[in-house]
Amino acid sequence: MKPLKILIIDDERLIRWSFEKKLTSKGHKVFTSGSGEEGLKLFETHYPDLVFVDNHLPGIQGLEVISTIKEMNEDANIIFMTAYESVDVAVAAMKKGAFEYIRKPFSFDEIFVIAENIAEKINIKNELLLLRRQQKEEITFDSIVHESTVMKQIVQVSKKIAKTDATTILLLGESGTGKDVFARAIHNDSNRKTKPFVTINCSSLPDTLLESELFGHEKGAFTDAKKLKKGLYEIAEGGTVFLDEIGEISLTTQVKLLTALENRMIRRIGGTKDIPVDVRVIAATNKNLKESIQQKLFREDLYYRLQVFQIEIPSLRERKEDIAPFLSFFIALFNEMFRKKIKQIDPEAKKLLENYDWPGNVRELRNVVERAVILQSGTTLQVGALPCEINNMTPQSHTQNNCLIDFPEEGISLENIEKQIIVRALEMANYNQTKASKLLDISRDTLRYKKKKHNL
Ligand SMILES: Nc1ncnc2c1ncn2[C@@H]1O[C@H](COP(=O)(O)OP(=O)(O)OP(=O)(O)O)[C@@H](O)[C@H]1O
Ligand SMILES: [Mg+2]
């Protein structure tokens, strides 16, 4: 285990002394403080990996110390210690973001386990960050998993388009088919790759904000415009702007976008001069734009402008040959992430996975494999580790899943189950935290705490 920096905040000298002695003997570096005030100063100077905070302190109290630490560093790992308080105090501490609470008197075995867990958590988190960074920055056509003839053709065509001067590309495909991955691969395979790749989700911002994000604004253009702000178009100069969910933009913004695409010039909001820009725009949507045109929600001229180079990624159920390579790819990924050793898939389970419809496409498959790798012990991925909608073959039950988990003989880690349930709730609630917390019958704060705990 990697040695940790640990801070103890407790007014009892004996406790501080024994913490220091025991933890130092395990190789950790220990700082101690008898008051909250001094403890906070130590936190600021040393940024410890783990903090033990007692509730009763001479000056500011334990709960407040927790809040202050969390304000300084949201990721801080805090263990709350109580002597005789009711559960309420412990719950309050958890709400404020404590990772765990322990009751006094405690044994140091308990403390060692906590330290081990935290070390493990920090480790996994670092790996995750690294993976994410690699995924974001290094996606090329080589990292696009594919086997089917149709995908081979699409990758071929996309490579060609990437190399051309084509300044606009339209990516179509259901949610989770890999539009994001393709956009990044195209950028990284183009001669724009050393320049920025900026992405904006058009559905996440109201109209005026979206425009100011894209085109920027001059100082004083509107009440909040205290400073000049460059838009993504200018920031991406020489590179690529990825406009995700283009089907959601308003008709007025569509006009402005079309003008920018045609003239290769933009004008900041409140500005008077046109600024020449050299960017490639990759637009993506899971909507049927032709239908949107008929419903007068999308401009036909913009559509024709965008679709000159169009790449349509088929749903996973239309390219079942890709399922097997995806399974191997994601099993390897999650084996590494969760230190598991899954080597093969039981033939029956494989059949179920290949016959399933995958309404959420590759994203759903990835989540299913993640869950299965966590739940499965041993080296063979069994039917029991698959979610009900797959092993019962009833896609209708997708949103109403009653049977939760098959219990393997060797047992299951409750922590992992909790994580899986939270992931499912978030998915079902479309990542809306309020809805997800209702589904789980917990408060939003608790959900936020648990998300943090599980690195979600
Ligand atoms: N061919 C592929 N190779 C490797 N990973 C893939 C591939 N296609 C999709 N993925 C993975 O599947 C997940 C979903 O893909 P992505 O985010 O690109 O979908 P999307 O089409 O942009 O979905 P949405 O419309 O919901 O934004 C991601 O985790 C991505 O890394
Ligand atoms: Mg996407």
Side-chain angles (χ1 to χ4, degrees):
M1 178 177 43
K2 179 181 162 281
L4 300 174
K5 279 193 281 182
I6 302 175
L7 171 62
I8 317 296
I9 308 177
D10 196 311
D11 57 338
E12 274 179 72
R13 255 188 69 192
L14 187 62
I15 296 228
R16 294 202 300 273
W17 178 79
S18 38
F19 257 111
E20 184 152 15
K21 192 159 162 277
K22 294 277 188 183
L23 289 169
T24 315
S25 77
K26 294 268 176 188
H28 300 298
K29 183 145 182 57
V30 180
F31 308 92
T32 62
S33 153
S35 75
E37 287 83 352
E38 194 204 356
L40 289 173
K41 279 200 194 113
L42 285 175
F43 184 87
E44 253 187 311
T45 32
H46 299 288
Y47 268 90
D49 303 301
L50 174 59
V51 189
F52 288 86
V53 183
D54 186 33
N55 187 23
H56 287 293
L57 293 166
I60 55 172
Q61 294 295 294
L63 288 179
E64 208 181 320
V65 174
I66 297 180
S67 315
T68 317
I69 290 181
K70 279 283 166 179
E71 271 163 35
M72 287 193 259
N73 178 7
E74 228 193 320
D75 293 329
N77 298 302
I78 307 171
I79 311 297
F80 184 64
M81 302 187 283
T82 60
Y84 28 72
E85 283 80 8
S86 64
V87 183
D88 294 353
V89 189
V91 171
M94 302 297 266
K95 273 200 181 149
K96 291 194 185 299
F99 180 72
E100 194 82 79
Y101 75 90
I102 48 172
R103 271 174 190 277
K104 289 179 177 175
F106 48 78
S107 79
F108 270 92
D109 284 340
E110 246 183 287
I111 303 295
F112 295 148
V113 171
I114 289 176
E116 252 171 57
N117 285 341
I118 296 295
E120 168 94 5
K121 183 178 160 214
I122 293 171
N123 229 333
I124 291 185
K125 195 160 183 179
N126 288 342
E127 275 173 27
L128 266 174
L129 281 177
L130 192 73
L131 263 170
R132 272 198 202 132
R133 209 172 304 141
Q134 284 171 348
Q135 274 191 350
K136 285 243 150 61
E137 286 168 7
E138 286 170 23
I139 288 179
T140 62
F141 284 110
D142 291 335
S143 44
I144 292 187
V145 178
H146 66 292
E147 186 64 54
S148 58
T149 321
V150 49
M151 284 306 276
K152 281 185 185 153
Q153 283 166 352
I154 291 173
V155 168
Q156 278 305 318
V157 172
S158 306
K159 279 185 179 169
K160 275 196 194 134
I161 297 178
K163 297 275 190 231
T164 66
D165 296 335
T167 46
T168 57
I169 297 169
L170 181 61
L171 281 173
L172 299 173
E174 286 179 15
S175 180
T177 46
K179 298 184 292 296
D180 224 277
V181 186
F182 266 80
R184 288 171 201 278
I186 290 172
H187 174 77
N188 289 334
D189 207 38
S190 72
N191 46 21
R192 296 174 175 271
K193 68 171 174 235
T194 56
K195 297 287 165 55
F197 174 88
V198 296
T199 150
I200 181 163
N201 186 318
C202 301
S203 69
S204 64
L205 295 172
D207 229 24
T208 43
L209 260 181
L210 177 63
E211 274 177 36
S212 105
E213 272 308 297
L214 277 177
F215 307 122
H217 59 68
E218 298 286 341
K219 183 178 170 186
F222 41 88
T223 347
D224 286 337
K226 304 227 159 40
K227 281 193 286 192
L228 178 152
K229 187 182 129 190
K230 285 191 176 180
L232 294 182
Y233 245 100
E234 278 177 85
I235 292 171
E237 179 60 30
T240 307
V241 177
F242 178 43
L243 298 179
D244 206 357
E245 308 217 27
I246 187 93
E248 306 297 326
I249 66 174
S250 74
L251 287 162
T252 30
T253 312
Q254 289 177 29
V255 177
K256 295 194 178 157
L257 182 61
L258 181 64
T259 316
L261 290 173
E262 295 202 315
N263 305 340
R264 295 174 165 235
M265 304 257 211
I266 54 124
R267 190 178 283 195
R268 298 186 193 127
I269 300 179
T272 47
K273 62 175 198 298
D274 290 325
I275 304 165
V277 281
D278 167 29
V279 294
R280 164 180 272 173
V281 172
I282 304 182
T285 181
N286 52 23
K287 274 199 165 170
N288 181 335
L289 288 183
K290 286 196 179 135
E291 263 173 29
S292 305
I293 293 171
Q294 270 168 7
Q295 293 160 355
K296 303 252 179 292
L297 294 172
F298 205 84
R299 291 181 64 101
E300 200 168 5
D301 46 8
L302 177 59
Y303 173 71
Y304 284 114
R305 173 74 225 196
L306 290 172
Q307 62 90 251
V308 181
F309 290 96
Q310 174 173 315
I311 298 166
E312 190 164 357
I313 309 173
S315 68
L316 192 53
R317 65 191 160 278
E318 292 168 279
R319 44 172 166 129
K320 297 215 154 168
E321 308 94 289
D322 288 342
I323 294 177
F326 269 129
L327 291 172
S328 321
F329 177 77
F330 288 128
I331 287 175
L333 177 77
F334 293 116
N335 265 344
E336 201 182 321
M337 203 182 284
F338 301 113
R339 302 206 173 81
K340 303 285 267 197
K341 294 195 173 58
I342 310 292
K343 293 205 167 52
Q344 67 254 334
I345 308 175
D346 167 75
E348 181 60 20
K350 190 157 186 197
K351 211 161 93 195
L352 289 170
L353 289 162
E354 285 178 334
N355 289 335
Y356 181 62
D357 230 26
W358 299 110
N361 295 295
V362 185
R363 181 177 294 116
E364 184 182 12
L365 185 138
R366 184 190 155 105
N367 289 339
V368 164
V369 176
E370 177 177 10
R371 172 186 188 276
V373 169
I374 288 176
L375 294 183
Q376 188 68 61
S377 48
T379 57
T380 308
L381 209 156
Q382 312 272 4
V383 177
L386 302 178
C388 294
E389 66 268 20
I390 295 178
N391 64 31
N392 293 346
M393 293 307 291
T394 47
Q396 296 86 329
S397 66
H398 194 61
T399 47
Q400 258 307 319
N401 196 340
N402 291 324
C403 78
L404 281 173
I405 288 139
D406 290 310
F407 211 88
E409 270 170 40
E410 325 77 52
I412 280 183
S413 140
L414 192 55
E415 281 290 300
N416 284 338
I417 302 276
E418 183 179 87
K419 179 176 176 192
Q420 289 307 312
I421 300 283
I422 292 170
V423 169
R424 297 276 301 173
L426 285 165
E427 280 170 10
M428 278 167 70
N430 257 324
Y431 298 90
N432 176 318
Q433 300 210 20
T434 311
K435 276 193 206 149
S437 57
K438 283 212 180 95
L439 285 173
L440 294 164
D441 196 20
I442 55 177
S443 71
R444 272 188 59 184
D445 279 342
T446 310
L447 178 64
R448 245 185 254 130
Y449 157 71
K450 288 189 184 290
K451 273 179 66 189
K452 213 177 282 165
K453 178 169 111 181
H454 294 292
N455 284 318
L456 290 170

